[in-house]
Amino acid sequence: LGADLSHKINDRHCINASFEYFPSFLDFGDFRVNSKAAWEMLIDPDWNLSLKLGFLDRYQSGAQANGAKRNDLDYFAELVWKF
């Protein structure tokens, strides 16, 4: 199950978000969730070059082996060239 959302603020700014839910069919209490959100800013319209800033959150329920965390949060900055 998932959803993707995008909103163009103006010609240079856009925000994006996505959500994905992965249940275990044997145990619905066991699942994974991935969430991502980003803000994309057009830097150079001639080259179609953008800067994208955002985060990615990954959560996994259930017992974790070797003391691993259930939740991982990553931040990112990307230089995007669309061609």
Side-chain angles (χ1 to χ4, degrees), residues 71-83:
N71 196 54
D72 287 322
L73 180 63
D74 295 322
Y75 301 98
F76 61 87
E78 299 175 350
L79 195 55
V80 180
W81 180 31
K82 297 178 183 176
F83 55 94

Side-chain angles (χ1 to χ4, degrees), residues 21-42:
Y21 172 71
F22 303 98
S24 170
F25 291 113
L26 300 176
D27 179 10
F28 283 108
D30 189 18
F31 61 90
R32 292 184 300 134
V33 174
N34 295 335
S35 304
K36 185 177 182 179
W39 176 25
E40 190 170 343
M41 299 156 279
L42 182 62

Side-chain angles (χ1 to χ4, degrees), residues 6-72:
S6 182
H7 178 68
K8 187 173 183 179
I9 298 170
N10 58 30
D11 289 342
R12 291 188 168 256
H13 297 273
C14 179
I15 54 175
N16 302 303
S18 65
F19 172 82
E20 299 171 320
Y21 172 71
F22 303 98
S24 170
F25 291 113
L26 300 176
D27 179 10
F28 283 108
D30 189 18
F31 61 90
R32 292 184 300 134
V33 174
N34 295 335
S35 304
K36 185 177 182 179
W39 176 25
E40 190 170 343
M41 299 156 279
L42 182 62
I43 297 172
D44 188 349
D46 293 333
W47 281 80
N48 211 8
L49 192 63
S50 299
L51 176 65
K52 185 186 277 191
L53 304 172
F55 71 89
L56 171 63
D57 182 53
R58 293 181 305 264
Y59 177 82
Q60 182 170 347
S61 69
Q64 300 297 309
N66 301 325
K69 297 185 297 181
R70 292 182 181 189
N71 196 54
D72 287 322

